[in-house]
PDB file of all heavy atoms in Angstrom:
ATOM      1  N   SER A 245     -17.111   1.992  -3.446  1.00  0.00           N
ATOM      2  CA  SER A 245     -15.764   1.423  -3.425  1.00  0.00           C
ATOM      3  C   SER A 245     -15.818  -0.089  -3.237  1.00  0.00           C
ATOM      4  O   SER A 245     -15.129  -0.833  -3.933  1.00  0.00           O
ATOM      5  CB  SER A 245     -14.946   2.059  -2.301  1.00  0.00           C
ATOM      6  OG  SER A 245     -13.717   1.406  -2.150  1.00  0.00           O
ATOM      7  N   LEU A 246     -16.649  -0.527  -2.321  1.00  0.00           N
ATOM      8  CA  LEU A 246     -16.801  -1.954  -2.058  1.00  0.00           C
ATOM      9  C   LEU A 246     -17.316  -2.683  -3.287  1.00  0.00           C
ATOM     10  O   LEU A 246     -16.869  -3.793  -3.596  1.00  0.00           O
ATOM     11  CB  LEU A 246     -17.748  -2.175  -0.871  1.00  0.00           C
ATOM     12  CG  LEU A 246     -17.935  -3.602  -0.403  1.00  0.00           C
ATOM     13  CD1 LEU A 246     -16.629  -4.175   0.112  1.00  0.00           C
ATOM     14  CD2 LEU A 246     -18.997  -3.648   0.685  1.00  0.00           C
ATOM     15  N   ALA A 247     -18.230  -2.065  -4.020  1.00  0.00           N
ATOM     16  CA  ALA A 247     -18.768  -2.682  -5.231  1.00  0.00           C
ATOM     17  C   ALA A 247     -17.709  -2.770  -6.329  1.00  0.00           C
ATOM     18  O   ALA A 247     -17.691  -3.717  -7.110  1.00  0.00           O
ATOM     19  CB  ALA A 247     -19.976  -1.887  -5.730  1.00  0.00           C
ATOM     20  N   LYS A 248     -16.807  -1.796  -6.381  1.00  0.00           N
ATOM     21  CA  LYS A 248     -15.773  -1.773  -7.429  1.00  0.00           C
ATOM     22  C   LYS A 248     -14.682  -2.808  -7.146  1.00  0.00           C
ATOM     23  O   LYS A 248     -14.244  -3.507  -8.041  1.00  0.00           O
ATOM     24  CB  LYS A 248     -15.170  -0.371  -7.518  1.00  0.00           C
ATOM     25  CG  LYS A 248     -14.284  -0.129  -8.684  1.00  0.00           C
ATOM     26  CD  LYS A 248     -14.920  -0.359 -10.023  1.00  0.00           C
ATOM     27  CE  LYS A 248     -15.992   0.644 -10.347  1.00  0.00           C
ATOM     28  NZ  LYS A 248     -16.666   0.347 -11.598  1.00  0.00           N
ATOM     29  N   HIS A 249     -14.211  -2.876  -5.902  1.00  0.00           N
ATOM     30  CA  HIS A 249     -13.223  -3.895  -5.507  1.00  0.00           C
ATOM     31  C   HIS A 249     -13.325  -4.068  -3.995  1.00  0.00           C
ATOM     32  O   HIS A 249     -13.035  -3.157  -3.241  1.00  0.00           O
ATOM     33  CB  HIS A 249     -11.803  -3.495  -5.894  1.00  0.00           C
ATOM     34  CG  HIS A 249     -10.883  -4.672  -5.956  1.00  0.00           C
ATOM     35  ND1 HIS A 249     -10.534  -5.404  -4.847  1.00  0.00           N
ATOM     36  CD2 HIS A 249     -10.258  -5.248  -6.993  1.00  0.00           C
ATOM     37  CE1 HIS A 249      -9.722  -6.375  -5.199  1.00  0.00           C
ATOM     38  NE2 HIS A 249      -9.540  -6.310  -6.506  1.00  0.00           N
ATOM     39  N   PRO A 250     -13.732  -5.267  -3.541  1.00  0.00           N
ATOM     40  CA  PRO A 250     -13.975  -5.474  -2.115  1.00  0.00           C
ATOM     41  C   PRO A 250     -12.723  -5.430  -1.234  1.00  0.00           C
ATOM     42  O   PRO A 250     -12.839  -5.333  -0.017  1.00  0.00           O
ATOM     43  CB  PRO A 250     -14.621  -6.857  -2.056  1.00  0.00           C
ATOM     44  CG  PRO A 250     -14.187  -7.542  -3.300  1.00  0.00           C
ATOM     45  CD  PRO A 250     -14.034  -6.458  -4.325  1.00  0.00           C
ATOM     46  N   LEU A 251     -11.546  -5.457  -1.825  1.00  0.00           N
ATOM     47  CA  LEU A 251     -10.330  -5.454  -1.011  1.00  0.00           C
ATOM     48  C   LEU A 251      -9.693  -4.069  -0.880  1.00  0.00           C
ATOM     49  O   LEU A 251      -8.702  -3.913  -0.177  1.00  0.00           O
ATOM     50  CB  LEU A 251      -9.311  -6.432  -1.592  1.00  0.00           C
ATOM     51  CG  LEU A 251      -9.745  -7.892  -1.629  1.00  0.00           C
ATOM     52  CD1 LEU A 251      -8.670  -8.755  -2.245  1.00  0.00           C
ATOM     53  CD2 LEU A 251     -10.106  -8.387  -0.241  1.00  0.00           C
ATOM     54  N   ALA A 252     -10.244  -3.055  -1.529  1.00  0.00           N
ATOM     55  CA  ALA A 252      -9.646  -1.721  -1.495  1.00  0.00           C
ATOM     56  C   ALA A 252      -9.688  -1.124  -0.084  1.00  0.00           C
ATOM     57  O   ALA A 252      -8.663  -0.642   0.407  1.00  0.00           O
ATOM     58  CB  ALA A 252     -10.345  -0.792  -2.483  1.00  0.00           C
ATOM     59  N   ALA A 253     -10.829  -1.141   0.557  1.00  0.00           N
ATOM     60  CA  ALA A 253     -10.940  -0.555   1.902  1.00  0.00           C
ATOM     61  C   ALA A 253     -10.089  -1.313   2.919  1.00  0.00           C
ATOM     62  O   ALA A 253      -9.357  -0.678   3.688  1.00  0.00           O
ATOM     63  CB  ALA A 253     -12.397  -0.499   2.339  1.00  0.00           C
ATOM     64  N   PRO A 254     -10.125  -2.666   2.932  1.00  0.00           N
ATOM     65  CA  PRO A 254      -9.237  -3.361   3.877  1.00  0.00           C
ATOM     66  C   PRO A 254      -7.757  -3.089   3.605  1.00  0.00           C
ATOM     67  O   PRO A 254      -6.969  -2.957   4.541  1.00  0.00           O
ATOM     68  CB  PRO A 254      -9.560  -4.844   3.664  1.00  0.00           C
ATOM     69  CG  PRO A 254     -10.911  -4.875   3.070  1.00  0.00           C
ATOM     70  CD  PRO A 254     -11.041  -3.599   2.281  1.00  0.00           C
ATOM     71  N   LEU A 255      -7.379  -2.971   2.334  1.00  0.00           N
ATOM     72  CA  LEU A 255      -5.986  -2.688   2.000  1.00  0.00           C
ATOM     73  C   LEU A 255      -5.585  -1.301   2.487  1.00  0.00           C
ATOM     74  O   LEU A 255      -4.501  -1.123   3.057  1.00  0.00           O
ATOM     75  CB  LEU A 255      -5.771  -2.803   0.495  1.00  0.00           C
ATOM     76  CG  LEU A 255      -4.345  -2.561   0.019  1.00  0.00           C
ATOM     77  CD1 LEU A 255      -3.415  -3.655   0.511  1.00  0.00           C
ATOM     78  CD2 LEU A 255      -4.304  -2.480  -1.492  1.00  0.00           C
ATOM     79  N   ALA A 256      -6.437  -0.310   2.288  1.00  0.00           N
ATOM     80  CA  ALA A 256      -6.146   1.051   2.752  1.00  0.00           C
ATOM     81  C   ALA A 256      -6.048   1.092   4.271  1.00  0.00           C
ATOM     82  O   ALA A 256      -5.143   1.721   4.830  1.00  0.00           O
ATOM     83  CB  ALA A 256      -7.220   2.021   2.252  1.00  0.00           C
ATOM     84  N   ALA A 257      -6.969   0.402   4.942  1.00  0.00           N
ATOM     85  CA  ALA A 257      -6.940   0.366   6.407  1.00  0.00           C
ATOM     86  C   ALA A 257      -5.683  -0.351   6.902  1.00  0.00           C
ATOM     87  O   ALA A 257      -5.046   0.093   7.874  1.00  0.00           O
ATOM     88  CB  ALA A 257      -8.194  -0.321   6.938  1.00  0.00           C
ATOM     89  N   GLU A 258      -5.323  -1.423   6.246  1.00  0.00           N
ATOM     90  CA  GLU A 258      -4.127  -2.168   6.632  1.00  0.00           C
ATOM     91  C   GLU A 258      -2.867  -1.314   6.454  1.00  0.00           C
ATOM     92  O   GLU A 258      -1.990  -1.295   7.324  1.00  0.00           O
ATOM     93  CB  GLU A 258      -4.021  -3.435   5.797  1.00  0.00           C
ATOM     94  CG  GLU A 258      -2.817  -4.286   6.113  1.00  0.00           C
ATOM     95  CD  GLU A 258      -2.742  -5.489   5.219  1.00  0.00           C
ATOM     96  OE1 GLU A 258      -2.939  -5.368   3.990  1.00  0.00           O
ATOM     97  OE2 GLU A 258      -2.473  -6.570   5.755  1.00  0.00           O
ATOM     98  N   ALA A 259      -2.767  -0.616   5.338  1.00  0.00           N
ATOM     99  CA  ALA A 259      -1.607   0.248   5.093  1.00  0.00           C
ATOM    100  C   ALA A 259      -1.508   1.341   6.157  1.00  0.00           C
ATOM    101  O   ALA A 259      -0.423   1.605   6.693  1.00  0.00           O
ATOM    102  CB  ALA A 259      -1.695   0.866   3.701  1.00  0.00           C
ATOM    103  N   ALA A 260      -2.627   1.960   6.490  1.00  0.00           N
ATOM    104  CA  ALA A 260      -2.626   3.008   7.512  1.00  0.00           C
ATOM    105  C   ALA A 260      -2.252   2.440   8.880  1.00  0.00           C
ATOM    106  O   ALA A 260      -1.455   3.035   9.610  1.00  0.00           O
ATOM    107  CB  ALA A 260      -3.996   3.685   7.570  1.00  0.00           C
ATOM    108  N   LEU A 261      -2.803   1.292   9.220  1.00  0.00           N
ATOM    109  CA  LEU A 261      -2.500   0.667  10.513  1.00  0.00           C
ATOM    110  C   LEU A 261      -1.026   0.284  10.605  1.00  0.00           C
ATOM    111  O   LEU A 261      -0.374   0.534  11.626  1.00  0.00           O
ATOM    112  CB  LEU A 261      -3.385  -0.554  10.736  1.00  0.00           C
ATOM    113  CG  LEU A 261      -3.187  -1.288  12.058  1.00  0.00           C
ATOM    114  CD1 LEU A 261      -3.572  -0.393  13.225  1.00  0.00           C
ATOM    115  CD2 LEU A 261      -4.010  -2.564  12.075  1.00  0.00           C
ATOM    116  N   LEU A 262      -0.489  -0.310   9.560  1.00  0.00           N
ATOM    117  CA  LEU A 262       0.927  -0.682   9.570  1.00  0.00           C
ATOM    118  C   LEU A 262       1.812   0.552   9.693  1.00  0.00           C
ATOM    119  O   LEU A 262       2.826   0.535  10.391  1.00  0.00           O
ATOM    120  CB  LEU A 262       1.286  -1.479   8.317  1.00  0.00           C
ATOM    121  CG  LEU A 262       0.739  -2.898   8.268  1.00  0.00           C
ATOM    122  CD1 LEU A 262       1.000  -3.521   6.902  1.00  0.00           C
ATOM    123  CD2 LEU A 262       1.332  -3.754   9.368  1.00  0.00           C
ATOM    124  N   TRP A 263       1.440   1.624   9.015  1.00  0.00           N
ATOM    125  CA  TRP A 263       2.230   2.850   9.116  1.00  0.00           C
ATOM    126  C   TRP A 263       2.161   3.415  10.535  1.00  0.00           C
ATOM    127  O   TRP A 263       3.171   3.870  11.068  1.00  0.00           O
ATOM    128  CB  TRP A 263       1.736   3.886   8.099  1.00  0.00           C
ATOM    129  CG  TRP A 263       2.593   5.106   8.085  1.00  0.00           C
ATOM    130  CD1 TRP A 263       3.783   5.272   7.451  1.00  0.00           C
ATOM    131  CD2 TRP A 263       2.334   6.332   8.766  1.00  0.00           C
ATOM    132  NE1 TRP A 263       4.280   6.521   7.690  1.00  0.00           N
ATOM    133  CE2 TRP A 263       3.412   7.196   8.499  1.00  0.00           C
ATOM    134  CE3 TRP A 263       1.293   6.787   9.575  1.00  0.00           C
ATOM    135  CZ2 TRP A 263       3.485   8.490   9.006  1.00  0.00           C
ATOM    136  CZ3 TRP A 263       1.358   8.074  10.083  1.00  0.00           C
ATOM    137  CH2 TRP A 263       2.443   8.909   9.797  1.00  0.00           C
ATOM    138  N   LEU A 264       0.986   3.362  11.144  1.00  0.00           N
ATOM    139  CA  LEU A 264       0.850   3.875  12.508  1.00  0.00           C
ATOM    140  C   LEU A 264       1.602   3.022  13.530  1.00  0.00           C
ATOM    141  O   LEU A 264       2.106   3.544  14.526  1.00  0.00           O
ATOM    142  CB  LEU A 264      -0.637   3.954  12.896  1.00  0.00           C
ATOM    143  CG  LEU A 264      -1.437   5.045  12.203  1.00  0.00           C
ATOM    144  CD1 LEU A 264      -2.921   4.872  12.494  1.00  0.00           C
ATOM    145  CD2 LEU A 264      -0.959   6.423  12.630  1.00  0.00           C
ATOM    146  N   LEU A 265       1.685   1.718  13.298  1.00  0.00           N
ATOM    147  CA  LEU A 265       2.364   0.816  14.234  1.00  0.00           C
ATOM    148  C   LEU A 265       3.873   0.742  14.009  1.00  0.00           C
ATOM    149  O   LEU A 265       4.604   0.282  14.892  1.00  0.00           O
ATOM    150  CB  LEU A 265       1.760  -0.585  14.155  1.00  0.00           C
ATOM    151  CG  LEU A 265       0.328  -0.728  14.647  1.00  0.00           C
ATOM    152  CD1 LEU A 265      -0.178  -2.138  14.417  1.00  0.00           C
ATOM    153  CD2 LEU A 265       0.223  -0.350  16.116  1.00  0.00           C
TER     154      LEU A 265
END
Side-chain angles (χ1 to χ4, degrees):
S245 172
L246 184 63
K248 190 58 68 184
H249 200 294
L251 298 179
L255 181 67
E258 180 182 45
L261 181 64
L262 288 172
W263 185 81
L264 289 171
L265 293 176

